[in-house]
Amino acid sequence: MDGFNQGVRAVMAGHGCDEAGPFLLLNDRAGGGQVRFDVRGRTFSLKCLPMRRCVGRHDLETHTNMPCPFDEALPEDSRDTMCPECRRATGFNPSFYNADFISPQQRAYNEKPHVVYLAYFSPSYVKAGICGAHRGLSRLLEQGARAACIVGRFEDAYAARHLEAALVAQSGIVETMRASKKEELLCEQRYDFAETLEVFARVLDGLGHREEIHGAGFAPEEPIDLSRYYFAGPSPAHDRLQRVDDAGGIASGLCVGMVGSSIVFEQVGALFVVSLKDWESHEVELVEGAVLREYDFKPQQLSLL
């Protein structure tokens, strides 16, 4: 089970996706390390518990995660997922360009190569962002983009931010998106990569004619379909996916994929989507080979679109 001992409580430290597929990051409170749990193709149940603890820290130089050395408990009403000490040790602020203070760790990170991307969620939702060049694909997969296009490569974060700021100033390009909106689009909006290519063609053509964008280093590359990373093949049709509004704190079934924080389970031939967006920093219990919660199937009207 990827080094994780069943029956021992863990802390859900995050999630991600790479060429091998989607995964959860679990801090093993007994073993003291962090474990990657690959989810696709596995039958399991994950139970979210009320207790919250610090998810740990990230080393911006080595790109490694470490559980909180203090196993610090977090207040129930806190929005933070890190204790103050781990936050200081990490020293990362994604909005560094608005910050009064930049940590030495972030300053060194900002001086490394960065990319600017456009992430596609639906024809009406295209998001711009920047990240370290080494995180390009993993960052896009982590946030659940359905498709993406790198539109600029830069020597540092400051040059990349210049292009990002120009992009989000344009109509139709957003800078942030809620996880709930991403899940809504996943379950309610058709995804077709051929249609996505048409949207990208229109968007990129329009942006390329803007002097402030062209002059900021706009250099779009070929769009990529991210479905194969999430599902090991095409994305399932949206009208097959049912959102589970009340999972009872249990994610359960045969996992067929995961898009961002939305995990997709199969139960008796039906596909259910459970949101894990609020589970980070919670203690969890993981049981493999068991379905501890059966979701109610609601007949849906199939769309012809």
Side-chain angles (χ1 to χ4, degrees):
M1 194 167 137
D2 300 345
F4 183 74
N5 296 317
Q6 289 198 79
V8 177
R9 287 188 179 184
V11 175
M12 184 163 161
H15 61 81
C17 186
D18 57 18
E19 289 85 350
F23 56 86
L24 303 177
L25 295 176
L26 303 174
N27 291 342
D28 185 346
R29 298 187 61 220
Q34 187 175 91
V35 176
R36 167 180 169 144
F37 181 74
D38 293 307
V39 296
R40 193 176 63 214
R42 278 176 148 158
T43 297
F44 65 93
S45 293
L46 186 72
K47 184 177 182 180
C48 183
L49 305 173
M51 186 68 185
R52 295 182 62 229
R53 295 186 182 275
C54 172
V55 300
R57 55 191 64 181
H58 179 78
D59 191 311
L60 293 175
E61 182 177 359
T62 63
H63 315 306
T64 56
N65 297 319
M66 294 153 282
C68 177
F70 315 105
D71 196 26
E72 190 76 17
L74 298 176
E76 289 186 12
D77 58 350
S78 172
R79 298 182 63 182
D80 287 330
T81 58
M82 292 181 179
C83 69
E85 188 61 33
C86 284
R87 187 169 295 282
R88 281 192 294 269
T90 299
F92 181 70
N93 183 349
S95 299
F96 65 87
Y97 40 85
N98 289 327
D100 296 327
F101 171 77
I102 298 179
S103 70
Q105 307 96 297
Q106 173 123 34
R107 192 171 291 111
Y109 179 79
N110 286 352
E111 292 172 355
K112 295 180 179 180
H114 276 63
V115 298
V116 180
Y117 59 82
L118 291 177
Y120 175 97
F121 295 90
S122 80
S124 300
Y125 286 89
V126 177
K127 174 185 176 295
I130 67 172
C131 64
H134 74 284
R135 293 200 69 225
L137 180 61
S138 62
R139 172 58 183 148
L140 290 162
L141 294 169
E142 177 185 78
Q143 65 181 301
R146 311 302 303 280
C149 179
I150 301 297
V151 295
R153 297 182 181 271
F154 300 90
E155 293 184 357
D156 57 45
Y158 306 103
R161 171 55 189 170
H162 184 55
L163 175 57
E164 181 193 33
L167 290 171
V168 299
Q170 308 303 312
S171 175
I173 306 295
V174 301
E175 189 169 13
T176 60
M177 278 188 69
R178 292 181 179 273
S180 57
K181 172 55 71 173
K182 296 176 185 179
E183 184 173 291
E184 175 188 318
L185 296 173
L186 172 68
C187 298
E188 298 181 9
Q189 294 287 319
R190 180 184 68 178
Y191 174 71
D192 183 299
F193 187 57
E195 180 182 42
T196 300
L197 289 175
E198 295 177 359
V199 173
F200 266 131
R202 292 195 302 270
V203 170
L204 295 174
D205 181 65
L207 294 173
H209 287 87
R210 295 278 187 174
E211 183 177 348
E212 67 274 23
I213 292 176
H214 180 76
F218 186 67
E221 301 176 12
E222 287 294 318
I224 54 175
D225 182 3
L226 302 176
S227 297
R228 67 182 184 274
Y229 300 103
Y230 304 131
F231 298 104
S235 294
H238 73 282
D239 50 18
R240 290 193 61 207
L241 301 175
Q242 293 199 36
R243 300 170 73 181
V244 180
D245 296 324
D246 182 14
I250 300 178
S252 191
L254 169 62
C255 178
V256 300
M258 184 172 175
V259 183
S261 60
S262 299
I263 190 165
V264 184
F265 289 104
E266 180 179 351
Q267 291 188 6
V268 199
L271 298 181
F272 298 93
V273 179
V274 178
S275 174
L276 303 181
K277 67 182 179 66
D278 295 325
W279 291 31
E280 187 173 339
S281 78
H282 278 265
E283 289 188 3
V284 294
E285 289 181 357
L286 179 70
V287 181
E288 278 205 273
V291 179
L292 302 181
R293 176 67 185 268
E294 294 183 358
Y295 304 124
D296 294 330
F297 177 79
K298 299 176 183 178
Q300 295 172 297
Q301 182 177 355
L302 298 181
S303 170
L304 298 178
L305 300 178

